[in-house]
Amino acid sequence: MKALRFGWRGVTVLFVLAFLLGVTGPLAWVLASSLKSATQIATDPWALPTTLQWDNYANAWNGASTNLGRAFFNSLFVALATMVVLIPISAMAAYVLAKYAFPGSKAIYASFLAGMMFPQFLVIVPLYLTMVDLSLADTLPGLILVYIAFSLPFTVFVLTGFFHNLPDELGEAAMLDGCGHAKTFWRVMLPLARPGLVVVTIFNLIGLWNEYNLALVLVNSEERFTLPLALAKLSNTAQYTSDWGAMFAAIVITMGPVLLVYWLLKEKIQEAMLAGAVKG
Amino acid sequence: MNRWYVAVVSTLALALVGCGGGSKGASAPDVEVVSFQGGYGIDQFEQSAKEWSEKTGKTVAITGNPRVWEQLKPRFVKGDVPDLTWPGWGMDTWGLIYDGQLLDLNPALDSPPYGATEGKWRDSFDPQLLALGQYEGKQYMLPYHVNINGWWYNKKLFDQNGWKVPTTFDELLALNDQIKAKGIAPLTFQGQYPYYMLYGFVYSWAIADGGNDMWKACVNLEPGAWNNPHIVKAAQMVATLRDRGDFLKGSLGLDHTTSQLEFLKGNAAMIPCGTWLYSEMENVMPEGTEIEFMLPPFVAGGAGDPSAVMVSIEPWMVPAKAKHPQDGIDLYKYMTTPEKAKEFVEAKGTLMAIKVADGVKYPPHLVRPAQIFENSTYKWQAEFRSWYPRFSKAAEDAMAALIDGKMAPQQFADALEKAADATRNDPQVVKHKVE
Amino acid sequence: MRRRGRIAFALAFIAPAVLLYAGLVLWPLLRAFALSLYHTRGLSTKKEFVGLQNYTDLAKDEIFRTAVTNNLKLLVVVVVAVTVLGLLLAHVTEGKGPVAKVLRSVYLFPHVISIVVVGILWQFLLHPSIGIVTATFDRLGWKDQPTWLGDPSTSLLSVAVAFVWYGIGFYIMLFSAALKGVPGDVFEAAELDGTRGLHRFWTITWPLIWSIRRVVVVHAAIATLNTFALVRLMTNGGPFRASEVTLTYLYEQGFQPNSFYGYATAIAVLNFLLVMGVSSVILAAFRRDPQAVRR
């Protein structure tokens, strides 16, 4: 009986160790490979780098085939510009949906909820055509507008929940003090919703940093590539230029910031993910 | 509080005003050229444009892009088009023709060539290749450089081992045994893109065995054309190579560059490919590589023309809604003068669909293809790949299945016939008839 | 007056979000259903109304059928794998030892890095000449292992493995949230009954986390049916369609290099219906709380 239980334990421990290796191994391999020379990468995947090839990073960042540096700044610009617009307008909308019932407000809320349900690809062709009509296809402003629109459902949903939980009395007190509706929102309610704002900001930033599908369809000039597009292209060219080192360096550059942010803000991120998952 | 407002409004304003997409210069150029930018770059076209501009006093704006069709498609939809374009392999040029988006260039072809007062521009082009750009008697596309398809072999390996280039299938089989004895794979192929195998193996051998009329019936999708005995025989030849283990292991999973690299490294002795292989792989060619072009080994006793060679053109065109179509045409006339053609050959190492000035020096890897092209009395094409994309997809899938051993030769031919039948009976597909 | 001010404020405040959302999400959504009834080459303003023909063509389209089949195969493998592995590992994260601690901090890594990174990473892990996975198998003496992504019999499986690697952390998180929610006194009662280990799991935990299992299965099913980037980057649907999924086929028909917008949109609509259909089936299967059955 005891032996059997110990056997189970052993199996479990082995299984968990295998899983840990499965998760961290590939990431460690990428990190190690990003500091190896192309020949070393091709000869023995298990070997550790002999001399650290920091050149790989320079080649990836500003190489002949792909300019990851530019893509990095494109991604940064797109993500920040999106957030600067998205957060205030979502907060405004969420506040209204939580605290101001008016004819049709339920329908609006429902339509935002529906937006979290349907697949992006359902609208991707007409979306592209709409952007062509607006002369915004293949432009970063166009991509930013699309990102804002597509991030609204989730952001509004989470923030509505937050505003809903703030007591009505706070707003009423502010109104009695002579603040208008708008002033009440900016001065009193928005600061109180800060935890919610932090959650949606982090969650959206990670999502935007990683976004591929919409960018792939809406952006096709290389100088406007975001990081995922540039990385995908680089991996494609690495196939025949055999510049493996630069490619692994590019992977590290792409995933580094996200892993760092995740490491610092684990709880917040999990909170946001759970909020999004249990919406059904 | 108001900081938010200011931030939002100013960002939106900045975003919408600044860095817009269609970067239009202050003054529009007289001629706008948009070109595919592949292995040959666009520097030669830029040079021509500069010279033409100096001669005529008109301004030219020329841009290139490796995925140029993605930019061109929305422009065609909006009617904001360049005056001259080479839209690259990703553009459905036949679709442009069906939708009335291209100009008929017959009148221009009947006018004199650049800088002349008599003669016809038409005579600058190889007539067989010019015909590839026609539809219903109108000329929509004009070829510039041309690729021929065949095989490449590793000359260094062949010389070292005293191997002779095989001219018939039987010679090929005998040679393959010698190659395998050296521990080298006789053949590899671009497994992820099965049309390389269709062109280099099946179509080539079916034509060698069945002749020109058989091929015409196939191209015209005539009933029973695609599962005729010659197609089955060609498929059987591929199956023979497969069963003898003459293909490099794992070739099916390779893309074009990887398989070509395997060939260049000497891991396989031969590979089917077009004349572009050299310029495509130039940057990664191992030191001291010597490769040479050859025609696919012929089928002994076949009804076909032993000099038959497959050609494909890289066409230029003038959009129907171009603002200055005549200037676009004139610039292209200048690009197609024999001197310019000569410069292009010497700079890029490619064959041309237009007359080249005398005394042209072909780069070493092109000497043999130029001879083959010159001496060929039958140039065939597989343009139906863009006419009938569904049929071609089915053919490619069947090709991969055949080479993978999942299909027998007869099944392969039947699959092609079935796909041809579906295309033939599909009222939406515009049909082409070659004479 | 006050009341009207309220409404005016509400409308003004909600307007920017609603306008952007309506213009760039809802409007294209309506356009999608209309567009799928047309034929277009996307090369001019020409478009021809064809009614349901795109749909009838798709019904006959063998590639589309292959893609749907592949989608469903992926779905089954991924759903089973993430449910089983996710639940097992979630149990481990609840532990107190150092292993549990390490596990807690890394299990979400694969899920927060971009799906593009995951696709490329797995492409190179399985690469025949530089991949560490292939090299490891080789060292262990598996001399004729398949070229994972280049072999039609293994390419879809490779995608599934990458998908599970990417998604598993998320489902571990969901399960562990659910396990935290199992009230402690239930276990205390079980201890008194002498119910332990696997038996305890089957009789108590499994029924109690029924609702989160439903969430996991639905979520994983939808995510699988919407697979695109992973397949595009790892195999591009190949070799010869062995790993084609509906969305990679949609992309080919709509953007790369064709532009049959009507046909591509019809694929999108059918994919959406497939998602709805599969979700309904799963929800129906989970309709009854199993605790009611076991008594």
Side-chain angles (χ1 to χ4, degrees):
Chain A
M1 191 69 214
K2 241 198 157 75
L4 184 75
R5 291 206 33 196
F6 182 76
W8 267 116
R9 272 213 92 82
V11 169
T12 313
V13 168
L14 274 180
F15 169 71
V16 172
L17 288 177
F19 177 78
L20 280 177
L21 184 70
V23 168
T24 51
L27 302 179
W29 176 65
V30 168
L31 197 58
S33 301
S34 74
L35 294 168
K36 292 190 201 173
S37 66
T39 5
Q40 228 203 330
I41 290 170
T43 44
D44 185 11
W46 273 101
L48 285 170
T50 40
T51 48
L52 299 186
Q53 302 281 332
W54 295 104
D55 289 4
N56 287 338
Y57 283 84
N59 291 343
W61 188 257
N62 200 352
S65 57
T66 305
N67 192 323
L68 211 69
R70 190 175 47 198
F72 190 94
F73 287 112
N74 284 343
S75 270
L76 208 59
F77 169 68
V78 168
L80 292 178
T82 303
M83 298 314 291
V84 165
V85 182
L86 171 71
I87 297 299
I89 71 171
S90 317
M92 286 152 64
Y95 178 61
V96 168
L97 290 172
K99 299 289 183 199
Y100 289 74
F102 62 89
S105 64
K106 280 235 172 7
I108 291 177
Y109 184 63
S111 79
F112 276 126
L113 278 191
M116 301 205 301
M117 301 292 174
F118 69 81
Q120 273 176 356
F121 267 83
L122 184 52
V123 298
I124 206 143
V125 176
L127 176 69
Y128 167 77
L129 295 175
T130 303
M131 294 318 267
V132 169
D133 293 344
L134 297 170
S135 296
L136 287 169
D138 199 16
T139 68
L140 289 183
L143 188 64
I144 291 164
L145 283 176
V146 168
Y147 278 174
I148 296 167
F150 277 73
S151 312
L152 277 167
F154 172 80
T155 316
V156 168
F157 164 77
V158 172
L159 291 179
T160 304
F162 267 93
F163 282 119
H164 208 87
N165 293 339
L166 294 177
D168 291 355
E169 292 77 18
L170 289 170
E172 281 158 16
M175 297 285 277
L176 288 175
D177 279 352
C179 290
H181 290 287
K183 212 166 183 176
T184 304
F185 170 74
W186 294 116
R187 282 275 169 86
V188 182
M189 299 308 245
L190 194 60
L192 286 170
R194 182 167 304 169
L197 294 179
V198 171
V199 166
V200 292
T201 303
I202 298 166
F203 188 77
N204 279 315
L205 273 177
I206 290 184
L208 292 175
W209 189 257
N210 292 341
E211 207 285 332
Y212 175 71
N213 299 355
L214 293 167
L216 176 72
V217 169
L218 295 173
V219 175
N220 41 39
S221 295
E222 227 172 299
E223 62 268 25
R224 290 187 272 279
F225 273 9
T226 56
L227 211 43
L229 295 180
L231 182 65
K233 176 163 188 304
L234 184 69
S235 83
N236 222 337
T237 46
Q239 301 274 14
Y240 47 91
T241 52
S242 300
D243 193 358
W244 308 119
M247 200 212 47
F248 286 114
I251 294 181
V252 175
I253 292 170
T254 308
M255 68 183 186
V258 183
L259 288 178
L260 195 70
V261 168
Y262 171 73
W263 189 256
L264 295 173
L265 303 159
K266 273 203 283 284
E267 286 73 25
K268 287 267 179 252
I269 289 170
Q270 296 201 14
E271 195 182 322
M273 281 186 174
L274 283 169
V278 198
K279 64 195 176 217
Chain B
M1 80 171 227
N2 280 338
R3 272 182 319 187
W4 272 113
Y5 272 137
V6 174
V8 171
V9 171
S10 55
T11 314
L12 265 178
L14 262 179
L16 293 173
V17 175
C19 48
S23 51
K24 288 275 177 289
S27 62
D30 294 321
V31 186
E32 194 202 356
V33 184
V34 176
S35 160
F36 172 66
Q37 188 168 6
Y40 296 143
I42 60 165
D43 52 313
Q44 284 291 314
F45 311 142
E46 283 171 331
Q47 181 61 27
S48 295
K50 199 170 131 248
E51 292 166 13
W52 181 84
S53 177
E54 282 161 7
K55 288 180 198 295
T56 58
K58 291 176 174 161
T59 53
V60 184
I62 180 162
T63 50
N65 187 310
R67 306 192 67 77
V68 66
W69 53 89
E70 290 179 346
Q71 265 116 23
L72 280 170
K73 273 182 189 178
R75 292 187 61 183
F76 271 108
V77 175
K78 290 192 145 186
D80 160 35
V81 285
D83 303 301
L84 174 68
T85 180
W86 169 26
W89 55 266
M91 179 62 95
D92 175 9
T93 42
W94 295 99
L96 287 176
I97 293 170
Y98 310 146
D99 277 9
Q101 290 281 34
L102 298 181
L103 201 63
D104 175 17
L105 297 167
N106 267 330
L109 286 169
D110 291 327
S111 67
Y114 183 84
T117 48
E118 51 191 26
K120 287 186 174 177
W121 185 29
R122 183 181 300 282
D123 299 333
S124 311
F125 296 88
D126 179 317
Q128 281 192 72
L129 299 177
L130 202 55
L132 301 184
Q134 288 165 359
Y135 177 65
E136 293 185 333
K138 295 199 167 84
Q139 184 81 43
Y140 293 105
M141 303 185 255
L142 298 179
Y144 195 64
H145 64 274
V146 60
N147 284 303
I148 62 174
N149 269 43
W151 291 13
W152 288 82
Y153 66 97
N154 190 323
K155 193 167 179 309
K156 203 165 166 186
L157 273 183
F158 273 56
D159 291 350
Q160 279 168 353
N161 294 292
W163 296 332
K164 254 181 77 254
V165 176
T167 54
T168 66
F169 190 67
D170 294 332
E171 285 175 22
L172 174 74
L173 295 184
L175 170 72
N176 286 355
D177 291 334
Q178 296 176 32
I179 297 177
K180 280 188 291 192
K182 286 270 179 226
I184 300 168
L187 279 151
T188 183
F189 52 80
Q190 303 78 346
Q192 287 188 16
Y193 303 101
Y195 54 88
Y196 283 92
M197 295 98 90
L198 285 168
Y199 298 168
F201 304 143
V202 175
Y203 296 168
S204 296
W205 286 329
I207 291 169
D209 193 54
N212 313 2
D213 287 334
M214 179 229 65
W215 187 240
K216 197 197 295 183
C218 287
V219 173
N220 289 335
L221 299 184
E222 284 170 20
W226 277 102
N227 57 355
N228 75 52
H230 309 291
I231 300 277
V232 179
K233 180 167 180 181
Q236 180 55 57
M237 290 160 74
V238 175
T240 303
L241 292 172
R242 174 195 79 202
D243 297 339
R244 289 165 38 96
D246 288 355
F247 294 124
L248 179 74
K249 192 181 159 298
S251 291
L252 252 189
L254 302 178
D255 67 0
H256 56 303
T257 39
T258 326
S259 61
Q260 285 154 208
L261 206 54
E262 291 292 324
F263 162 71
L264 293 175
K265 284 178 182 164
N267 296 336
M270 293 169 281
I271 188 170
C273 195
T275 34
W276 61 82
L277 178 120
Y278 201 92
S279 59
E280 185 171 53
M281 305 302 289
E282 210 162 7
N283 299 333
V284 290
M285 228 173 256
E287 204 64 40
T289 308
E290 279 180 69
I291 56 173
E292 179 90 85
F293 187 81
M294 65 187 267
L295 280 175
F298 196 69
V299 183
D305 178 338
S307 75
V309 62
M310 177 181 165
V311 292
S312 53
I313 57 169
E314 297 290 355
W316 287 71
M317 52 211 72
V318 176
K321 296 197 179 86
K323 292 172 200 66
H324 317 90
Q326 290 315 320
D327 291 329
I329 289 171
D330 198 59
L331 172 57
Y332 195 55
K333 276 187 178 179
Y334 182 70
M335 283 164 61
T336 53
T337 53
E339 288 69 33
K340 287 276 113 192
K342 182 178 167 187
E343 283 171 30
F344 197 81
V345 171
E346 290 177 348
K348 303 298 174 192
T350 171
L351 300 169
M352 300 302 277
I354 43 185
K355 287 210 175 78
V356 181
D358 292 338
V360 65
K361 253 187 75 58
Y362 283 108
H365 70 269
L366 210 63
V367 174
R368 182 86 188 100
Q371 284 169 346
I372 289 174
F373 186 65
E374 202 71 32
N375 300 333
S376 173
T377 44
Y378 178 56
K379 301 188 176 93
W380 59 277
Q381 44 87 10
E383 198 51 56
F384 56 81
R385 184 163 176 242
S386 33
W387 298 340
Y388 312 130
R390 285 190 164 276
F391 168 77
S392 319
K393 277 280 180 232
E396 287 173 29
D397 292 350
M399 181 73 231
L402 172 75
I403 226 157
D404 194 35
K406 292 199 165 46
M407 254 189 195
Q410 185 64 50
Q411 282 176 305
F412 165 86
D414 290 339
L416 263 57
E417 179 62 23
K418 189 178 147 217
D421 206 46
T423 296
R424 192 168 44 238
N425 298 322
D426 185 343
Q428 277 143 29
V429 178
V430 181
K431 309 294 187 301
H432 291 248
K433 197 151 176 56
V434 297
E435 291 310 325
Chain C
M1 181 65 227
R2 184 79 194 239
R3 170 124 194 88
R4 194 165 316 152
R6 253 182 92 84
I7 301 266
F9 159 78
L11 290 179
F13 241 53
I14 205 169
V18 168
L19 288 177
L20 257 176
Y21 184 62
L24 292 180
V25 180
L26 299 179
W27 166 242
L29 191 62
L30 291 174
R31 238 180 121 173
F33 291 99
L35 190 59
S36 71
L37 307 176
Y38 284 88
H39 255 293
T40 141
R41 290 197 186 85
L43 302 168
S44 67
T45 48
K46 265 192 199 168
K47 56 178 196 177
E48 183 196 349
F49 182 79
V50 294
L52 293 176
Q53 203 192 338
N54 286 325
Y55 294 98
T56 50
D57 284 356
L58 275 168
K60 288 183 299 201
D61 185 333
E62 280 178 24
I63 300 170
F64 181 68
R65 237 177 290 166
T66 308
V68 171
T69 314
N70 286 341
N71 263 348
L72 294 173
K73 282 184 193 164
L74 263 183
L75 187 149
V76 171
V77 173
V78 169
V79 166
V80 170
V82 299
T83 309
V84 174
L85 291 176
L87 195 48
L88 275 173
L89 290 157
H91 267 282
V92 178
T93 58
E94 295 305 288
K96 294 187 176 61
V99 175
K101 195 164 177 295
V102 175
L103 187 63
R104 269 200 298 274
S105 48
V106 302
Y107 74 74
L108 255 177
F109 275 6
H111 199 75
V112 291
I113 57 180
S114 171
I115 190 83
V116 173
V117 171
V118 177
I120 292 169
L121 178 62
W122 275 91
Q123 191 194 8
F124 289 105
L125 285 168
L126 300 171
H127 195 280
S129 57
I130 67 164
I132 193 163
V133 172
T134 36
T136 308
F137 284 145
D138 201 49
R139 280 200 189 180
L140 295 173
W142 187 358
K143 284 299 168 218
D144 57 349
Q145 60 172 317
T147 31
W148 296 99
L149 300 177
D151 186 325
S153 50
T154 52
S155 62
L156 191 64
L157 181 70
S158 308
V159 170
V161 168
F163 197 104
V164 171
W165 188 84
Y166 167 72
I168 188 73
F170 184 71
Y171 302 109
I172 294 175
M173 183 182 77
L174 289 183
F175 278 127
S176 60
L179 293 175
K180 281 191 185 71
V182 175
D185 52 9
V186 173
F187 287 140
E188 278 159 34
E191 289 286 341
L192 293 175
D193 289 352
T195 327
R196 282 212 185 88
L198 263 180
H199 187 221
R200 184 178 82 178
F201 174 81
W202 273 119
T203 51
I204 298 170
T205 317
W206 182 253
L208 276 176
I209 56 163
W210 164 84
S211 72
I212 206 79
R213 272 190 289 131
R214 184 176 60 179
V215 171
V216 165
V217 171
V218 171
H219 191 283
I222 294 177
T224 329
L225 293 177
N226 289 321
T227 310
F228 169 72
L230 213 50
V231 175
R232 179 171 155 75
L233 293 161
M234 282 174 74
T235 63
N236 207 2
F240 46 102
R241 313 263 174 208
S243 58
E244 196 76 61
V245 288
T246 45
L247 295 186
T248 48
Y249 190 48
L250 180 157
Y251 186 69
E252 179 192 315
Q253 290 298 308
F255 298 102
Q256 194 78 42
N258 311 315
S259 39
F260 302 132
Y261 296 137
Y263 201 68
T265 312
I267 297 176
V269 172
L270 287 181
N271 185 60
F272 176 58
L273 293 177
L274 183 67
V275 168
M276 298 302 269
V278 168
S279 312
S280 315
V281 167
I282 295 169
L283 290 175
F286 273 98
R287 200 181 46 223
R288 289 224 304 284
D289 196 322
Q291 280 178 289
V293 188
R294 288 183 175 262
R295 297 283 149 89

